[in-house]
Amino acid sequence: GAVVSQHPSRVICKSGTSVKIECRSLDFQATTMFWYRQFPKQSLMLMATSNEGSKATYEQGVEKDKFLINHASLTLSTLTVTSAHPEDSSFYICSARQGGPGEQYFGPGTRLTVT
Amino acid sequence: EDQVTQSPEALRLQEGESSSLNCSYTVSGLRGLFWYRQDPGKGPEFLFTLYSAGEEKEKERLKATLTKKESFLHITAPKPEDSATYLCAVQAGNSGYALNFGKGTSLLVTP
């Protein structure tokens, strides 16, 4: 149990275009989903927290107009990188929490390359 | 400010050579300390959550322990398939359940 999927696993896009990444909890309802970014040989950095049906909370330094997060249901959250630039190239990972202080489960990640 | 420091940064072991990874933390009101395993190009895989000092959890060759200042991940008789990056993360009482990660320990187990 507790499986989180992400789609796509890899995406290459041209500078200036937008990319949407989906995060789904497959076998549980996620009260909260989180989006992280990981640069090569670095740890995960939290970008934003999203709760179903409400606006996402962004970490300091993360542009909310550039990284649009929608959490439309208890099993789906999407991250849209708008007007992507090469510096946005990274590994984007989502996680989902069932409820309470328990475990968070991570998706397999999406490798974004902006050319 | 919450801080998580993992050591060593990298560790090379021979198969069967037991060792421990360290995670030191400072946090305002620890809600939980998490250990994850991450393979290259993949998302973190959940291993353990520890909630209070003195708590211990085991899974196969891994055992995690927690004190008020640090956590250890003990690896007993490791195998090459245990090679991965091990991440430690803390969840603070005022964090809204978000995780603050350390930089990880890259473990290589050679046959």
Side-chain angles (χ1 to χ4, degrees):
Chain A
V3 178
V4 176
S5 70
Q6 273 184 252
H7 178 79
S9 57
R10 287 179 175 272
V11 58
I12 301 173
C13 71
K14 291 192 175 180
S15 189
T17 61
S18 296
V19 173
K20 181 186 281 189
I21 302 169
E22 289 188 351
C23 175
R24 293 181 185 272
S25 56
L26 298 185
D27 51 2
F28 66 98
Q29 293 188 324
T31 51
T32 309
M33 287 185 170
F34 304 88
W35 287 95
Y36 294 83
R37 183 165 51 181
Q38 187 176 34
F39 291 106
K41 300 208 182 287
Q42 302 217 358
S43 195
L44 283 76
M45 297 298 295
L46 179 68
M47 297 176 67
T49 301
S50 76
N51 293 292
E52 184 261 341
S54 60
K55 289 186 178 180
T57 303
Y58 292 82
E59 294 300 295
Q60 195 169 14
V62 178
E63 299 174 57
K64 62 181 181 181
D65 294 330
K66 181 172 186 61
F67 299 100
L68 302 179
I69 292 172
N70 184 280
H71 194 157
S73 75
L74 284 171
T75 59
L76 173 65
S77 176
T78 60
L79 168 68
T80 301
V81 183
T82 63
S83 186
H85 288 98
E87 56 265 30
D88 298 324
S89 298
S90 188
F91 193 49
Y92 292 86
I93 312 175
C94 71
S95 72
R97 182 177 74 90
Q98 276 184 284
E103 299 88 358
Q104 273 186 38
Y105 299 95
F106 283 80
T110 296
R111 172 75 58 195
L112 170 63
T113 303
V114 184
T115 60
Chain B
E1 186 180 319
D2 300 341
Q3 276 199 319
V4 182
T5 305
Q6 290 188 247
S7 62
E9 199 171 301
L11 180 62
R12 185 183 180 117
L13 299 173
Q14 285 219 310
E15 186 171 2
E17 181 186 358
S18 301
S19 189
S20 295
L21 313 183
N22 178 264
C23 173
S24 298
Y25 66 91
T26 54
V27 64
S28 305
L30 180 72
R31 181 178 272 153
L33 184 140
F34 296 70
W35 282 99
Y36 289 87
R37 168 194 171 126
Q38 186 177 27
D39 292 299
K42 298 194 176 179
E45 175 190 341
F46 173 79
L47 295 174
F48 305 107
T49 309
L50 302 167
Y51 295 104
S52 57
E55 191 174 359
E56 298 183 352
K57 288 191 176 173
E58 285 188 69
K59 178 180 177 181
E60 295 180 357
R61 296 179 291 281
L62 300 176
K63 179 180 175 180
T65 62
L66 181 66
T67 72
K68 288 187 178 179
K69 293 182 179 180
E70 58 191 350
S71 176
F72 289 94
L73 184 65
H74 307 278
I75 304 178
T76 303
K79 298 182 177 182
E81 53 261 42
D82 294 322
S83 298
T85 295
Y86 290 85
L87 298 169
C88 169
V90 297
Q91 190 179 69
N94 61 356
S95 72
Y97 299 103
L99 297 179
N100 185 2
F101 281 87
K103 293 185 177 180
T105 293
S106 177
L107 173 65
L108 176 64
V109 182
T110 57

